[in-house]
């Protein structure tokens, strides 16, 4: 039987076993709870101890589902792309991206819009899409991460593109989408509760003599481009490729 612990600063009693306040743990339950913590408290608020308190178990009980902090971060990326994948299952290209004679442009736009939508739901996870991509070799990435690449490559193959054009378009699409997400969701507010835009952004911290254009334009840089600018940039990158 799991050893009970008294209540403390982390809230209700926690258990050393893998049955927490929401029932028996599973990898999916652990990762979804980690996502909730990050959505609420940011990446800096995520730790095994905090996650254990969220689930009502000791932190040590989590290590069979995420053996390290890096594994937990990789799991967050996995959950992100799994949510994107579920959105795309009903898309114009079907579940595997290889519908008969697909409109590859429309499908790429659908993938981009779906990814932006999930990013807006989980903005604190977006930096991990870049950092974990740099830290994790291709073959070691979770299946949901690789499935989006497979979907894009299958679309382009079905569209009749050569291997070199397929790689080139995949690279443009991936770079633009990830870059757009990072720019769209970058931190801007210095004091989020300040109603005056200049003070909310902390423009007084930006030296006007050294960075005049940045300081003058910063208030406009806060505005999000949204799906329209995402689509416009994607169209520009794909200009010249036949339909």
């Amino acid at each position: 039987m799991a050893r009970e612990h008294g209540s403390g600063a982390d809230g209700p009693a926690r258990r050393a076993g893998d049955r927490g306040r929401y029932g028996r743990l599973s990898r999916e339950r652990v990762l979804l709870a980690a996502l909730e913590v990050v959505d609420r408290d940011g990446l800096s608020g995520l730790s095994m101890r905090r996650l254990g308190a969220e689930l009502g178990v000791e932190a040590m009980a989590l290590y069979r589902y995420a053996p390290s902090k890096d594994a937990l971060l990789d799991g967050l990326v996995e959950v992100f792309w799994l949510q994107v994948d579920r959105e795309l299952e009903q898309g114009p290209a079907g579940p595997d991206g290889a519908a008969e004679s697909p409109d590859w442009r429309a499908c790429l736009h659908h993938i981009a819009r779906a990814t932006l939508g999930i990013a807006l739901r989980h903005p604190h996870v977006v930096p991990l899409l870049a950092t974990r991509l740099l830290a994790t070799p291709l073959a070691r990435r979770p299946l949901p991460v690789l499935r989006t690449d497979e979907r894009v490559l299958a679309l382009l193959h079905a569209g009749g593109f050569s291997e070199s054009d397929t790689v080139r378009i995949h690279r443009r699409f991936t770079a633009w989408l990830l870059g757009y997400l990072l720019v769209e969701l970058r931190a801007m507010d210095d004091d989020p509760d300040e109603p005056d835009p200049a003070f909310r952004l902390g423009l007084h911290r930006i030296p006007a003599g050294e960075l005049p254009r940045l300081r003058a334009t910063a208030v406009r840089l806060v505005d999000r481009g949204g799906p329209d600018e995402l689509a416009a940039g994607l169209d520009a990158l794909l200009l010249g490729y036949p339909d």
Side-chain angles (χ1 to χ4, degrees):
M1 179 177 297
R3 181 168 54 93
E4 298 289 344
H5 290 258
S7 299
D10 290 326
R14 293 179 294 152
R15 298 165 176 82
D18 66 351
R19 182 175 292 278
R21 67 171 59 99
Y22 305 113
R24 186 171 296 280
L25 296 184
S26 67
R27 187 167 183 275
E28 181 180 11
R29 189 183 296 277
V30 168
L31 293 181
L32 288 175
L35 184 63
E36 290 180 8
V37 171
V38 170
D39 284 344
R40 184 182 65 235
D41 302 326
L43 286 170
S44 63
L46 179 65
S47 66
M48 289 298 197
R49 184 170 179 269
R50 179 79 62 88
L51 184 56
E54 186 81 10
L55 290 164
V57 299
E58 289 287 346
M60 289 301 296
L62 303 176
Y63 283 95
R64 74 176 65 178
Y65 307 102
S68 66
K69 180 69 175 289
D70 281 346
L72 194 57
L73 297 179
D74 285 336
L76 289 174
V77 175
E78 178 180 349
V79 171
F80 180 97
W81 287 112
L82 183 60
Q83 292 189 8
V84 172
D85 193 59
R86 287 172 178 169
E87 290 273 330
L88 294 174
E89 286 178 352
Q90 305 304 317
D96 61 0
E100 185 177 352
S101 300
D103 181 342
W104 64 273
R105 288 180 188 272
C107 291
L108 288 182
H109 277 281
H110 180 62
I111 294 170
R113 287 194 304 271
T115 306
L116 176 60
I118 300 300
L120 292 173
R121 291 184 214 168
H122 308 296
H124 296 302
V125 178
V126 170
L128 295 177
L129 305 184
T131 58
R132 300 314 299 165
L133 194 68
L134 292 171
T136 309
L138 177 70
R140 294 183 180 274
R141 293 170 195 165
L143 184 60
V145 179
L146 298 175
R147 191 173 288 127
T148 299
D149 290 310
E150 176 69 19
R151 187 186 297 270
V152 172
L153 294 172
L155 275 172
L156 299 174
H157 176 76
F161 287 100
S162 67
E163 185 171 335
S164 59
D165 278 343
T166 294
V167 171
R168 189 174 295 112
I169 295 172
H170 174 268
R171 181 179 291 118
R172 291 185 183 188
F173 174 77
T174 304
W176 170 246
L177 178 57
L178 290 180
Y180 189 86
L181 295 180
L182 292 173
V183 171
E184 185 83 337
L185 298 175
R186 60 186 166 176
M188 294 292 287
D189 288 342
D190 182 57
D191 184 357
D193 297 325
E194 171 57 56
D196 184 277
F199 285 104
R200 185 172 68 251
L201 290 173
L203 294 190
H204 57 287
R205 303 182 189 278
I206 300 177
E210 296 181 44
L211 305 169
R213 296 316 314 155
L214 178 60
R215 179 162 172 165
T217 312
V219 173
R220 293 296 303 275
L221 290 176
V222 175
D223 297 335
R224 288 181 173 174
D228 289 342
E229 286 194 15
L230 175 65
L234 183 55
D235 281 337
L237 287 171
L238 299 177
L239 193 65
Y241 286 99
D243 292 320

